[in-house]
Structure formats: structure tokens, C-alpha cells
Amino acid sequence: KNNIKAMEKELVACSLRGQEKAALRRGQVFQIPGGKDLETKVIMVLGKAGMGKSILIQKICQDWSNGEFSQFEFVFWFDCKQISWPEKRYSLKDLLLGFFVRPQEGSKEIFEYILQNPAKVLLVFDGVEELHDHESSPRCSGSQPEKGLCSMKELLSGLIQKKILNGCTLLLTARPKDKVHQYVSKVDKSIEIAGFSPQQRELYITKYFEGLPCCGKALEFIKESKYLFSHCYTPVMCRFVCFLCETVLDMGDKSLPPTLTTLFLKFVQQKTMHMQADVSDTQNQESLAVLARVAWYFGEQHQSAMRSDHLPSKEVKEFALKYGFFLPFAFPRHPDSGEEEFGSTFSDFVIQNFLVALHLMLAEEIKDQSLTKYLTFPSKKKKASNWLDLVPRFLAGLLFLQDDPYICSFSNKGVKQSTKKQKAFLKYIRRLQINKLCPERLLELLHCIYETQNNSLLQHVALRLKPELSFLGVLLAPPDVHVLHSVLKSSRKDFALDLQSSSIDTQGLKDLVGLRNVASFRASLSDTVRLWKSLEQTKDYKLLRASTEKFVLDPFKAKTMRDVSDLSALVEMQEKVINCVQDASGCSSYEIPAIRNLRKLEFALGPVCGLQGFLKLVEILAAFPSLQHLDLDALSENGLGDEGAKSLSEVFPALTSLETLNLSQNKITDVGAEKLATALPSLSSLKTLSLYNNSICDFGAENLAKVLPAMASLRVLDIQYNKITGVGAQQLTDSLRKCPHIKNLVIWNPTIPYGVLEHLQQLDSRISL
């Protein structure tokens, strides 16, 4: 179980790191370096709901139909919510050539060709989180899985595990937090869709309004609503905001609704009111209330699709289809069965979430206490489902809209219900131990509070935030940054923020760092340098100086080549920052505090990139005047060798503050030890030197023994687990007599007889075995 969790976490982390490195073109999706040609290739596309995974799939299929991706002769695309029915049993042949594509003749020959040429087949499964388990179903036949009848989930598992059609290419899409861990160990490539950048948001909005009467002012109109504009990073949200903006501008309103709840309330209102003369608003509201119950029922089962006979009435189905809440689809039909079956699916996950929240507010049977299960903010991070992600936010917003005329029009009893439920919500929030919430749950709470637009609640939360807020490794999307900025701005406390590995965009980082009560922050070096370059280009020297003074680097651990490159970029940026600050303030001298105050630096690239990365690191070590602790082991066996030792020794004179140097497990021989020994006396502050588990012999020990008396600040030397014999040990012991300042010499080596070691320890008690 723990291994599965680790694999899932690694998948997401890798995709996030990849997102920082470079954008991926569609043509590169199927490129897998080092992949085996004859084996099944599994590619996973991850992205939050509404990010455009399905659109990407459609575009890939369109490109293929236009002659691209010519390695595939067959492309089969399946929408998982339309085929994930527990009672449905499939064979591979039925799935490929029976349900959706039916050749007029030669089905048998075509299927045989597919089985013999799997490398020419691309199978696309869109939304694998929609596949459901069904415990009572009989299992797929293991002997002939191509011919046996299986559930859709079993069939997909067989494809991934290479038991079925081995050699084909599988392209899967899923939401990041959903249950994809069962597939993760088999994935050859993972891609995460990150959403729109600010520039792409502006482009989408401009294109949407192209040719419309309001095209000249729509973009600025939306950007004035910073919260809704932040949500436009999600393509589906961007479409909703644009639709409503068009309506609002046509009506002559001065601004957009302030929250997601009011946005979708207005959206639903515009969809259902005054659309048809023979249908009253009351009838529509009754249908909407029933539809909200349907959304809740299927949402509880993690479903968005349903058969027509599962709906309570024909009128509700027609209402939902007419106003765009549902989309129709045809179920796959078995070749031997009779008439075709039809179903419906919610047109959008956001619509389903909003309707679920509406039902929870209006339903009399949902009492105060049972309501809080939809608002749970556990202190520990739990594996969450994406199905009802937005329900707590919509519910919180709706509970504070009981005076809205449209909400009131549902029924007076509904309004009384919402008043009671609002009190239950307030009571629940006030009992929360906000300072113990994990970052993900804290962000969810902040979104809920923002949707209420209640200043008293905002102050309540702001007062109880910890002064040190860590979002390390937590993806901070633009709306997350907006609500975080909102609550921090309203607080009188000072905060220290950790935003490392959060993929925060430049504007978001600028907004948070610019707050007067954000006293310090940590962020990924690449994000920080990008921010400083942006501030330099816009000549915002005041914020540039403030952000450099707030930035914290110490301690720093380099784990990848990217980390070393980013640290180099930070050092290179210092000169530009100095010039900008000096020009703006007239200071004759200025240093970036984070660089000046770096005291601990760990290097852990491992043996593959260790030497290459270290040689780059050595070039900038002199830029850190306060460096006290340099750990070149970090349990990573970097393999710096003699070349690394030589390069390091050349910068020793500049490391005047260095107190601890760890060179353990780096394959240093006598050659490297000689280079180190020559330069070690220049480390005037060095107290601890570790050369543990290298390949140093007697010649290296002799060179070290010669310089020990000159190293007046040294207190501890660890040279155990090398290849020193009794001869080298004796030389070190003799030198130790001239070094009263040294307190401990750790000298045990497997090549020194134990009796010799005992004798040396008797001569000097500072020797440790």
C-alpha cells in the first residue's frame, strides 16, 4: 500500500517538474525515450476537471485523421463514463468492432490483423476515474483474455498489464487525485495539463468576444474581477465567465458577480428564466430542484452519466436537455442485442457540483449535522476524490445568499432551512482548529470563506492562522493564491511563507511577496529569479528590493542539475539586482541577503550527475561569504572523486567562514587527498572535516598528517573506512601530538589491525575506534 502511495506521489511530482522544464507539443506525446518497440506503451494525461484533457484527445484524433501520427493505422477512442457499467460485459472484439465501429464486412479479418499488428493500434480511454469496481461480477478469462467477456475495468487492466493486445499504445486521461495508482507502476510517460497562463487567458477571452459588440471592453471588464479572472486559468471556467460576461454586458450591469457561487447562480438563472412563454418560472424551479436531487444522488456514487430510465421523470430529462444541463449519448450496443439504449450525462462537472450544493441547501431531509460531512476539513491530509470538489465552496456561498430573491423564490421553507444550516456552518467553522489544518485543507477552507463574502468569518480565520505557513509541494493555482492573498491581507500578523515546489505563477508570487505583513518567504529558485527579472523589466525597483530582502535561501539542498543551474542563475542575478537597487536608492553597496546569509549547503545529486553538477557548483561557492556547513555527501554518494576534490581545493581560500566540510563517500584517493591537504590550512574557520568511506591510503594519510598542525581551528577529523594501514595511522597519531586543538580523530579502518588501533588509542585518548 505504501509503495502504491509513493508511486502515485512520484508520478504527480515528476509531471510538475516536467511542467517547469518545457511545454510539450502534441507531436511529442507519443515519444518515449528508451521504450521497447514490441511492448505496450502506456501514456497518462493528468489534469484537473475542466483543464481540457478531452479536447486534447479530440485534437489528437483529428490530427491523426489528417495524416499525423502515421505510426497508427487504427485509433479507437472511448469515453469511460459511457462504457463503465457494471452489468456490461465486453470482449476485445466487441469493444473495438462491435459497439462503436462496425465494419460492413470483413470484421473477422480486420480483428485478426489488429491482433497481429498491435503496434499499429492506439487505444484512447478518456476519464479512467469513471471506471467502477463491481465485486459480484465474474472475472475475465485468463487463458484467452482477447475472447473472454470482461468488465471495462478488467479489460483495461489486461491491456495495461500486457495480457491483452501486447504492443499497442494506450493513452489514458485522469484527474490527478483520483484513483489512478493501480495504473501508475505501468505508466511509461506522464503528462500534466497545467491550464492557461495569464497570456493564454487573455487570448481565449479576446477570441471568444471577437466580432461581438462588446469585444472592445470585455477583456478589461473580466480582468477587473480579479477572482473570476484567476479562475479563467481553467478553460471550462474561462468559458463560463465569458458567457456570463456577455450576458452582463448586454444587460448593462456594471460588474461581474464577485464569487463562483454568485456567478453560477446567475448562470442558472439566465438559463432557466423567461425562456419559454408556456412554462412558468415556478415549473422551472421545481424541475431544477428535482434535477439538483438527481445530481446529488449520482454525485454520491461518483457518477455523472445515467441511463434514461434512472431519471425520475421524462419532464426532468427534457428540462435538463433543453437548458443545457444534460448532454445525450448512445450506450454501446452489443451486436446481438435489440434496440439502441440512450443515456444522459451532466454537461459539465461544475454544473453537477453546483446542483449538488443547491440540493444540500434546499433539502429538508439534509439536517444540520449531516450537512457538515460535506464541509469536513480534517487536520490530516486524506486522499480526496475530485467528484464533489467544488460542493463545499458552492454550499458555503449559497448558505449566505438566503436573502437573494432567486433563492427566496424556491420556497419560504427552503429559506428557513438555509438559515438553520448557515448557523450550523458558522458553528462548525468556529470549532475548527484552523492552526492544525494541513495546507490542502486550509486552502479549501479559505475558498469556502471567500465564497461567503462574510468579513467576520474572514477575520476569524485570519486571526487563527499560524505565523509560519508552508505550502511546500502543494500546487498553488491562481484562485488558491487569490484567496490566500485575501486572508493574509486582512490579518495584522506577520507571516513566513514556504512556497517551494508549488508551481506558483509570477503574478501570484508577486502579489503574496508584495504584502507588507509577509515578512519572509521561501520559493523555488527558478520562480524567484523569474519574479526578479519581471520586476527589473517593469522597473518596480521598490518591490524588487523588498522581495530580495524577504527571500530566504538557508538551508539549501541541491538534488538535481536544475537546482544547481537555478542557484547559479540566482548568483548571476545578484549583480543586476545590485545595480537596480543602487540606482533607485542611491546605496553605494548592496547584497542580496539570502546569498550573503546562506550558511548551510547540501549537495545530493548522486553518482550519475554528481561530478558534473559539482563542477558547476564550485564556480559559485565563493559568492556565499557566510557559508559554514558544506555537505557533499548527504547520503547520496555523489562520486566527486579526485577531480572534484581538486576543484574544491582551489576555492578554499574564499571559504573563510566554513566550519564543517563533509566529503564522505566520494571515491577520493591519495591524489585527491594530496590536493585537499595542500589547501586545507586556508580554511581558517574549519572545525569538522569528514573523509569517511573514501579510498585514501597511507600516502594520503601522510599528506593530511603534515598539515594538521597548521589547521588551528580544526576540532574533529573523521577518516574511518578508508584504506589506511598501521603506517598511515601511526603518522596521523604522531601529528596529533602537535595538535592540542584537535579533540577527536576517528581513524578506524578495516586495514589497520585492531591491536594497533588499541595501542594508538592508549597513546592518545582523542583517537576514536
Side-chain angles (χ1 to χ4, degrees):
K1 185 178 179 182
N2 289 335
N3 288 338
I4 287 172
K5 285 184 178 180
M7 284 190 291
E8 184 175 15
K9 187 174 181 182
E10 184 180 349
L11 171 66
V12 176
C14 285
S15 59
L16 290 178
R17 284 198 294 273
Q19 168 197 321
E20 290 178 356
K21 287 178 182 176
L24 193 71
R25 297 190 304 275
R26 283 195 306 278
Q28 298 173 294
V29 166
F30 300 106
Q31 294 175 7
I32 303 174
K36 296 180 180 178
D37 292 338
L38 299 178
E39 289 194 353
T40 295
K41 300 173 186 66
V42 183
I43 300 164
M44 180 76 78
V45 177
L46 297 171
K48 289 183 178 180
M51 278 296 187
K53 301 183 296 295
S54 297
I55 296 294
L56 172 66
I57 295 302
Q58 291 172 36
K59 183 60 179 156
I60 286 172
C61 291
Q62 185 185 46
D63 289 347
W64 173 76
S65 70
N66 290 329
E68 295 185 44
F69 309 118
S70 56
Q71 67 268 40
F72 303 119
E73 290 186 21
F74 298 90
V75 173
F76 298 93
W77 170 29
F78 305 104
D79 185 341
C80 290
K81 63 176 171 283
Q82 296 179 15
I83 57 176
S84 178
W85 296 92
E87 66 271 19
K88 300 283 185 183
R89 314 295 293 166
Y90 305 87
S91 70
L92 181 63
K93 183 179 179 181
D94 290 339
L95 185 69
L96 300 185
L97 302 177
F99 293 126
F100 294 104
V101 180
R102 297 184 186 177
Q104 292 181 348
E105 56 184 29
S107 290
K108 183 178 179 182
E109 291 78 8
I110 293 172
F111 186 61
E112 285 299 322
Y113 182 83
I114 288 172
L115 291 180
Q116 291 167 17
N117 298 274
K120 297 178 181 180
V121 179
L122 170 63
L123 301 177
V124 182
F125 292 91
D126 189 12
V128 294
E129 72 275 359
E130 301 271 0
L131 300 178
H132 304 293
D133 287 310
H134 195 58
E135 296 297 331
S136 60
S137 297
R139 294 300 172 196
C140 179
S141 168
S143 56
Q144 289 184 305
E146 286 91 353
K147 298 179 181 178
L149 294 178
C150 313
S151 72
M152 192 60 246
K153 194 162 189 175
E154 291 165 351
L155 195 55
L156 179 57
S157 295
L159 288 164
I160 292 172
Q161 293 166 14
K162 305 171 187 175
K163 295 177 181 176
I164 302 175
L165 204 61
N166 185 22
C168 69
T169 299
L170 294 173
L171 181 59
L172 317 176
T173 75
R175 301 174 190 174
K177 285 192 290 184
D178 277 307
K179 297 179 179 180
V180 297
H181 57 259
Q182 56 201 302
Y183 311 122
V184 169
S185 61
K186 306 291 182 182
V187 167
D188 297 294
K189 184 174 187 175
S190 62
I191 303 161
E192 182 149 6
I193 299 180
F196 288 156
S197 68
Q199 295 76 21
Q200 289 169 328
R201 287 181 238 168
E202 293 188 14
L203 178 62
Y204 182 99
I205 294 166
T206 303
K207 291 284 187 184
Y208 182 95
F209 287 96
E210 203 169 53
L212 296 177
C214 55
C215 65
K217 55 184 177 180
L219 177 60
E220 290 307 315
F221 190 71
I222 291 173
K223 287 177 74 174
E224 283 172 10
S225 177
K226 291 184 178 179
Y227 182 57
L228 293 185
F229 184 63
S230 75
H231 272 289
C232 287
Y233 92 103
T234 306
V236 71
M237 287 292 196
C238 199
R239 178 167 53 85
F240 276 117
V241 171
C242 288
F243 169 84
L244 200 65
C245 175
E246 185 182 357
T247 305
V248 167
L249 287 172
D250 288 345
M251 293 171 63
D253 290 356
K254 303 274 188 190
S255 62
L256 286 167
T259 65
L260 275 189
T261 307
T262 49
L263 176 81
F264 277 88
L265 187 64
K266 200 167 186 73
F267 172 82
V268 170
Q269 207 171 342
Q270 291 300 317
K271 281 277 189 181
T272 58
M273 289 182 73
H274 314 300
M275 290 286 286
Q276 206 170 358
D278 59 339
V279 178
S280 70
D281 291 342
T282 304
Q283 284 176 292
N284 276 344
Q285 285 171 350
E286 288 173 358
S287 296
L288 188 65
V290 175
L291 185 61
R293 180 183 291 275
V294 171
W296 168 76
Y297 175 79
F298 284 100
E300 288 281 278
Q301 300 176 61
H302 292 188
Q303 283 181 251
S304 59
M306 64 217 79
R307 292 205 312 240
S308 296
D309 57 359
H310 286 173
L311 292 169
S313 69
K314 181 182 177 182
E315 289 74 23
V316 171
K317 176 187 172 184
E318 289 177 351
F319 166 82
L321 288 170
K322 181 169 71 175
Y323 295 122
F325 298 122
F326 274 178
L327 293 175
F329 68 88
F331 279 105
R333 183 177 63 178
H334 196 280
D336 301 329
S337 66
E339 61 184 64
E340 200 164 7
E341 284 186 85
F342 292 93
S344 301
T345 179
F346 282 96
S347 58
D348 191 85
F349 84 102
V350 191
I351 291 294
Q352 186 176 6
N353 273 246
F354 179 80
L355 291 173
V356 170
L358 185 64
H359 171 73
L360 294 174
M361 186 193 73
L362 295 176
E364 292 182 45
E365 68 271 20
I366 306 286
K367 302 300 181 185
D368 307 349
Q369 291 182 348
S370 59
L371 186 77
T372 57
K373 85 171 187 176
Y374 296 95
L375 296 165
T376 51
F377 304 104
S379 57
K380 292 184 178 179
K381 181 179 178 182
K382 288 186 178 179
K383 204 171 224 13
S385 165
N386 277 279
W387 279 92
L388 301 176
D389 258 4
L390 296 176
V391 168
R393 305 179 194 183
F394 283 136
L395 181 55
L398 288 170
L399 290 176
F400 282 79
L401 288 175
Q402 68 262 44
D403 295 331
D404 183 275
Y406 186 65
I407 294 292
C408 291
S409 67
F410 276 91
S411 74
N412 286 328
K413 191 178 285 188
V415 173
K416 289 178 183 177
Q417 284 287 332
S418 70
T419 303
K420 285 183 181 179
K421 290 171 182 177
Q422 185 198 89
K423 290 179 180 177
F425 173 78
L426 288 168
K427 185 178 179 181
Y428 176 74
I429 295 297
R430 289 183 178 126
R431 285 183 173 181
L432 271 180
Q433 292 182 296
I434 293 169
N435 60 347
K436 293 186 178 178
L437 293 178
C438 71
E440 293 86 351
R441 298 295 170 259
L442 176 61
L443 286 173
E444 188 55 43
L445 172 64
L446 298 185
H447 277 288
C448 290
I449 300 303
Y450 191 90
E451 288 294 322
T452 69
Q453 292 288 285
N454 185 289
N455 193 55
S456 173
L457 269 179
L458 187 69
Q459 292 296 329
H460 173 83
V461 172
L463 199 63
R464 285 156 181 79
L465 289 178
K466 293 186 294 186
E468 293 88 23
L469 291 175
S470 174
F471 297 95
L472 175 64
V474 177
L475 184 65
L476 286 177
D480 300 325
V481 175
H482 186 93
V483 296
L484 178 60
H485 179 273
S486 174
V487 73
L488 293 181
K489 187 178 180 180
S490 68
S491 177
R492 297 177 182 176
K493 289 182 183 178
D494 283 346
F495 293 97
L497 302 181
D498 189 347
L499 307 171
Q500 295 177 97
S501 302
S502 65
S503 294
I504 188 171
D505 66 19
T506 301
Q507 184 61 49
L509 186 58
K510 177 183 175 182
D511 291 342
L512 292 179
V513 170
L515 288 171
R516 54 164 184 78
N517 58 340
V518 171
S520 65
F521 76 98
R522 293 184 72 100
S524 299
L525 293 184
S526 54
D527 294 337
T528 306
V529 170
R530 199 178 301 121
L531 170 65
W532 290 349
K533 286 181 178 178
S534 171
L535 295 174
E536 179 206 3
Q537 289 165 2
T538 57
K539 298 189 182 335
D540 192 347
Y541 297 145
K542 183 178 178 182
L543 183 53
L544 177 60
R545 177 167 186 173
S547 64
T548 59
E549 290 176 351
K550 292 179 180 184
F551 179 58
V552 175
L553 181 62
D554 184 55
F556 181 75
K557 185 171 185 176
K559 294 185 283 188
T560 65
M561 284 294 294
R562 175 71 181 270
D563 293 334
V564 178
S565 299
D566 288 345
L567 190 61
S568 297
L570 187 76
V571 172
E572 290 170 14
M573 190 70 197
Q574 178 165 242
E575 188 174 342
K576 291 183 181 179
V577 172
I578 290 170
N579 292 335
C580 293
V581 171
Q582 287 176 351
D583 291 345
S585 63
C587 293
S588 57
S589 62
Y590 182 77
E591 293 177 282
I592 295 177
I595 293 177
R596 184 184 66 234
N597 298 328
L598 180 65
R599 289 176 169 78
K600 184 175 182 179
L601 176 57
E602 294 181 73
F603 183 84
L605 265 66
V608 176
C609 299
L611 179 59
Q612 180 189 355
F614 182 68
L615 294 178
K616 190 173 180 65
L617 178 68
V618 164
E619 295 173 5
I620 59 169
L621 280 179
F624 306 106
S626 301
L627 187 63
Q628 295 178 346
H629 187 118
L630 182 57
D631 186 348
L632 301 174
D633 170 25
L635 303 177
S636 298
E637 298 189 15
N638 294 305
L640 305 184
D642 296 332
E643 187 179 351
K646 178 179 179 293
S647 297
L648 178 62
S649 64
E650 291 169 358
V651 297
F652 277 172
L655 306 180
T656 54
S657 300
L658 193 65
E659 296 181 356
T660 301
L661 175 58
N662 185 359
L663 279 162
S664 302
Q665 306 188 106
N666 272 300
K667 300 181 180 177
I668 298 171
T669 69
D670 285 346
V671 176
E674 183 180 15
K675 296 294 183 184
L676 289 170
T678 305
L680 277 170
S682 62
L683 293 174
S684 55
S685 301
L686 190 66
K687 294 180 180 178
T688 302
L689 173 62
S690 177
L691 291 162
Y692 168 89
N693 197 17
N694 280 285
S695 300
I696 299 171
C697 301
D698 291 338
F699 181 70
E702 180 184 353
N703 282 303
L704 289 170
K706 288 177 182 176
V707 300
L708 285 183
M711 298 174 66
S713 60
L714 191 67
R715 298 293 179 266
V716 177
L717 172 62
D718 185 350
I719 198 168
Q720 62 180 327
Y721 282 97
N722 276 274
K723 298 179 180 179
I724 300 169
T725 68
V727 175
Q730 184 65 58
Q731 289 172 320
L732 287 167
T733 304
D734 293 342
S735 179
L736 194 58
R737 294 174 187 168
K738 305 169 191 173
C739 306
H741 52 277
I742 293 180
K743 295 181 178 179
N744 193 11
L745 174 63
V746 187
I747 202 175
W748 188 91
N749 274 258
T751 48
I752 304 174
Y754 189 73
V756 173
L757 283 172
E758 280 190 321
H759 172 68
L760 295 176
Q761 190 181 40
Q762 288 170 2
L763 293 176
D764 196 319
S765 60
R766 292 174 293 172
I767 294 175
S768 297
L769 302 184

